[in-house]
Amino acid sequence: MWIALVAAYGVFKGIRDIAKKKAMQLNSAMEVLFCYTLLSFIMSAALSFTADSATPLETDFSKLWIVAVKSSIIFVAWICSFKAINKLPIGFYGIMDMSRVVIAAVLSVVFLNERPTVYKTAGMALVLIGLLLVNFRRDGKKAGAASLALVLISCLMNAVSEILDKYLMGSTDMTSGQLQFWYMLFLVVLYFGYLLVSRTKIDWRNLFKNYWLIIMSVLFVFGDKALFEACKYENSSVITMTLIKQCSVLITIIGGRLMFKEKNTAYKLFCAAVIIAGIVISVL
């Protein structure tokens, strides 16, 4: 069951990344990011107070500092990923985003004592090969060092966040609704503070016309809900979950071709196939 939940998250993530790039054609990255976060919080709050037996107000508040750390990490990760998506071809970004597989694997071994089996190690090697291959072609050479750095920082931050998700859902009494509510609330506060400090202006009139924001928010709320529920299963490992999530790459590559007329689709699919082969081997 948890594999299906993680796969659903991966599909939602791929569509969401395409929606992010479309949304940023109409508004700036920070405008989209703040409004997306606010809408997602409102939706997650509505769900958490109506769907779960334990409401956010019944949370074990001694664990909220961990949620605050997670939110701070995601705060940085999203700024980096949104700026990278805005600058890079979405298909190329989707493949580079798979770097989080390697980072999450290392972190899960160090902090969660997960054992890298022979299959997981072989799968990880194929993932690395696929990542190296995609950088040899035109998109990889044209991508600036700054953009690639943003992707890698985002991957690192997201990998750390995944470790915290597994701990909070697997080792505490916190429900998925409680986690979603509090970490989204902290994110709204962080991004609002950022807008005030940076004096970023928001064009609310154009934002209300940007329907991609609603699509992104719905996909995010239900995708994260599925992911958090998957983390509750004892046999769900961070390494395997991170690998399964990467099914999103097929959507970003095909979406890049259909929505943005991106090139080198066949080669990107080949690189993705190498990485996905690694994923399949890893879950054996």
Side-chain angles (χ1 to χ4, degrees), residues 115-132:
R115 295 184 178 181
T117 64
V118 174
Y119 287 119
K120 284 186 173 65
T121 303
M124 212 62 63
L126 282 175
V127 170
L128 282 171
I129 291 171
L131 290 170
L132 290 172

Side-chain angles (χ1 to χ4, degrees), residues 17 21 84-85 87-99 130-145 147-149 151 155 249 252-257 260 262-265 267-269 271 275:
D17 285 344
K21 195 167 184 69
I85 288 172
K87 294 179 180 179
L88 296 172
I90 192 64
F92 177 77
Y93 169 83
I95 298 177
M96 289 308 301
D97 188 50
M98 298 173 91
S99 302
L131 290 170
L132 290 172
L133 286 174
V134 76
N135 276 283
F136 288 150
R137 290 298 291 262
R138 186 177 178 182
D139 286 345
K141 292 178 180 178
K142 289 178 69 176
S147 296
L148 291 177
V151 178
C155 288
V249 71
T252 55
I253 292 173
I254 296 172
R257 177 65 178 179
F260 306 104
E262 293 178 3
K263 299 180 179 180
N264 300 322
T265 303
Y267 186 75
K268 289 174 186 173
L269 286 172
C271 295
I275 296 172

Side-chain angles (χ1 to χ4, degrees), residues 73-93:
I73 290 169
I74 290 297
F75 167 74
V76 176
W78 282 5
I79 290 177
C80 292
S81 66
F82 269 67
K83 290 185 177 181
I85 288 172
N86 203 22
K87 294 179 180 179
L88 296 172
I90 192 64
F92 177 77
Y93 169 83

